[in-house]
């Protein structure tokens, strides 16, 4: 472009200013947006609180039932209501304790602990999904801002071209038709920028779902480094191993649920065992004419008889085993879905990366060289204005396509980071260490 601009004489300084205009200062980075979203996220906090409640309940479920104290009067004659009238009249105090059915108390505690583990894992998945969704919304907004920045740079270039044509028309070097052509191209750019402003507002609205009013502040559109994920991505061939997604919190939550259902089967099997109870009581008697008044002590053992098992215990065990099977199948389905989605994200990222390299290596330079050559021809009256505008628009579209490929690539990387369960603060630490 430089050689062609020098050929334009008075037009060159203005075009150089447009070509090397510095980007606006930004304030909100992706990392700070994620941090804001975490601070304002009630869903993950609620999930953690629910998991903590489940963990506390699990401890309570593993305990024996409270003993029962028994106080009373036995065999009191209703004609005299005297304690020393009949030998069997007693003041009774006792205690009753029901024992858990087999190992049901310990199993109930284990089941609750696994349910709590599933809850904590689900909360961890929510945090990762939050970071992914904020990243996608932030990168989409950044892409729109970057495209607008490119359009504004080219608008300034087109504005200078209109002024240049106006000067040439005044000196009778061109016809008014050429000036109108350049003005029409400028108007089309203005309309495109206005349309893009609407998309930017919608993108800010989407981002405000997680970070509130901060979405309307200036932000840094530069893509994040994410060197760890990009290095990992560069070394991958499709399909990626299934083991990559197995440690994911969502899979861990599903595994914990399956384990809880397995414990639930054992708990249902404990229902075949009788539940024992111990009843100890002491009866204090008064001396009567027919008795020396010796006190009585009683010990009773009680237990139920699970005799009719077909429609009770058998059904519950069958239901528990069915739920365990459901959990296993759902976990397998989830694993397959996540593996397929990870492969899709990796394929998308690798394709976009190749296209980015093509744009950076050849297409951008070719489009710019073509625009410069046509512009040089226009300055020397060997090319018409229509060709200049068309070449410039092609260069603009090439720049915009390159920007969209870049942000599309980083959106794919954001999805990969979710499937690999990478949190931004850990990644930032590693990036800074390099």
């Amino acid at each position: 472009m430089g050689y062609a601009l020098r050929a334009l004489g008075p037009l060159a300084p203005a075009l150089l200013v447009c070509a090397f205009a510095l980007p606006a200062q930004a304030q909100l980075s992706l990392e700070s947006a994620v941090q804001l979203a975490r601070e304002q996220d009630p869903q993950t906090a609620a999930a953690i609180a629910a998991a903590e409640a489940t963990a506390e309940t699990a401890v309570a479920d593993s305990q024996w039932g409270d003993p029962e104290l028994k106080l009373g009067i036995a065999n009191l004659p209703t004609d005299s209501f005297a304690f020393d009238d009949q030998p069997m009249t007693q003041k009774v105090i006792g205690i009753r304790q029901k024992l858990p059915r087999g190992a049901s108390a310990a199993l109930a505690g284990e089941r609750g602990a696994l349910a709590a583990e599933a809850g904590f894992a689900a909360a961890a998945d929510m945090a990762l999904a939050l970071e992914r969704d904020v990243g996608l919304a932030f990168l989409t907004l950044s892409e729109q801002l970057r495209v607008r920045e490119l359009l504004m740079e080219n608008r300034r270039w087109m504005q200078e071209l209109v002024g240049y044509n106006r000067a040439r028309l005044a000196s009778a070097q061109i016809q008014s038709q050429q000036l109108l052509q350049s003005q029409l191209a400028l108007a089309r750019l203005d309309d495109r920028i206005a349309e893009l402003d609407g998309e930017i507002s919608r993108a800010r609205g989407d981002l405000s779902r997680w970070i509130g009013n901060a979405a309307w502040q200036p932000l840094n559109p530069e893509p994040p480094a994410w060197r760890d994920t990009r290095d990992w991505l560069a070394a991958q061939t499709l399909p990626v191993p299934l083991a990559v997604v197995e440690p994911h919190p969502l899979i861990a939550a599903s595994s914990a649920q399956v384990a809880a259902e397995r414990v639930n089967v054992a708990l249902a099997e404990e229902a075949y065992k009788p539940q024992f109870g111990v009843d100890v009581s002491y009866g204090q008697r008064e001396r009567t004419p027919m008795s020396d008044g010796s006190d009585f002590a009683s010990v009773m053992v009680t237990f139920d008889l699970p005799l009719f098992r077909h429609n009770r215990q058998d059904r519950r065990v069958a239901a528990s085993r069915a739920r365990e099977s459901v959990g296993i199948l759902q976990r397998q389905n989830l694993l397959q879905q996540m593996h397929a989605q990870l492969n899709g994200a990796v394929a998308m990222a690798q394709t976009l990366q190749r296209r980015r390299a093509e744009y950076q290596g050849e297409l951008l330079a070719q489009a710019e060289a073509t625009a410069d050559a046509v512009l040089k021809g226009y300055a020397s009256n060997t090319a018409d204005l229509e060709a200049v505008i068309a070449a410039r628009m092609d260069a603009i579209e090439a720049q915009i396509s390159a920007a969209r490929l870049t942000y599309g690539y980083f959106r794919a990387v954001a999805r990969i980071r979710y499937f690999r369960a990478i949190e931004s603060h850990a990644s930032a630490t590693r990036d800074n260490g390099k």
Side-chain angles (χ1 to χ4, degrees), residues 127-351:
L128 288 172
L130 173 74
E131 184 169 332
R132 176 200 60 192
D133 294 341
V134 171
L136 294 177
F138 189 94
L139 289 170
T140 299
L141 175 58
S142 298
E143 176 185 315
Q144 305 292 3
L145 292 174
R146 177 56 184 155
V147 171
R148 190 184 193 281
E149 186 178 305
L150 291 172
L151 290 176
M152 288 301 298
E153 289 177 6
N154 285 281
R155 185 191 183 279
R156 286 191 289 270
W157 186 95
M158 195 68 71
Q159 203 171 19
E160 291 299 330
L161 181 62
V162 170
Y164 177 67
N165 284 337
R166 187 175 289 113
R168 295 187 73 187
L169 178 64
S171 59
Q173 298 182 41
I174 61 172
Q175 298 179 352
S176 60
Q177 178 184 357
Q178 293 173 298
L179 175 60
L180 292 174
Q181 283 180 331
S182 59
Q183 290 175 332
L184 177 61
L186 179 61
R188 285 177 174 170
L189 269 182
D190 286 339
D191 178 66
R192 191 166 178 181
I193 291 171
E195 181 184 7
L196 189 60
D197 285 341
E199 295 177 5
I200 290 173
S201 296
R202 284 194 294 274
R204 288 187 185 277
D206 292 341
L207 185 59
S208 68
R209 170 186 169 190
W210 296 283
I211 65 173
N213 293 336
W216 304 95
Q217 296 176 359
L219 76 159
N220 182 1
E222 288 298 319
W226 289 345
R227 294 303 315 173
D228 52 350
T229 309
R230 296 170 64 192
D231 292 342
W232 175 87
L233 177 63
Q236 297 304 307
T237 56
L238 291 173
V240 297
L242 183 65
V244 174
V245 296
E246 285 181 340
H248 194 278
L250 198 56
I251 300 297
S254 183
S255 299
Q257 289 171 351
V258 171
E261 292 298 340
R262 188 172 297 118
V263 173
N264 213 27
V265 172
L267 193 58
E269 291 174 344
E270 291 300 299
Y272 289 105
K273 300 177 181 176
Q275 182 176 19
F276 288 91
V278 178
D279 189 331
V280 180
S281 61
Y282 179 82
Q284 189 267 325
R285 295 193 306 163
E286 299 292 340
R287 183 182 298 274
T288 66
M290 296 178 290
S291 172
D292 59 357
S294 299
D295 297 339
F296 288 163
S298 303
V299 176
M300 304 292 291
V301 175
T302 63
F303 56 91
D304 56 9
L305 299 174
L307 299 177
F308 307 103
R309 304 177 176 181
H310 178 66
N311 286 327
R312 184 174 299 170
Q313 286 87 350
D314 290 353
R315 302 283 183 174
R316 288 173 178 162
V317 169
S320 299
R321 286 174 176 165
R323 283 194 290 269
E324 181 188 7
S325 299
V326 170
I328 292 172
L329 294 173
Q330 288 178 338
R331 181 187 181 278
Q332 183 63 28
N333 181 55
L334 181 63
L335 195 58
Q336 291 173 351
Q337 284 184 358
M338 294 187 67
H339 186 224
Q341 291 170 357
L342 174 60
N343 278 317
V346 169
M348 177 64 72
Q350 290 178 340
T351 300

Side-chain angles (χ1 to χ4, degrees), residues 30 45 66 72 92 97 127 210 236 251 258 288 325 385 388 415 426 428:
L30 174 56
D66 290 332
V92 180
Q97 175 67 61
W210 296 283
Q236 297 304 307
I251 300 297
V258 171
T288 66
S325 299
L385 179 61
V388 172
R415 294 186 178 92

Side-chain angles (χ1 to χ4, degrees), residues 143 351-357 359 400-411:
E143 176 185 315
T351 300
L352 292 174
Q353 178 64 1
R354 284 195 294 271
R355 293 184 63 195
R356 285 182 68 208
Y359 267 80
I400 291 175
S401 295
R404 294 197 186 282
L405 287 173
T406 295
Y407 287 100
Y409 165 76
F410 278 97
R411 281 195 293 271

Side-chain angles (χ1 to χ4, degrees), residues 9-20:
L11 186 59
L15 299 182
L16 283 172
V17 169
C18 296
F20 297 100

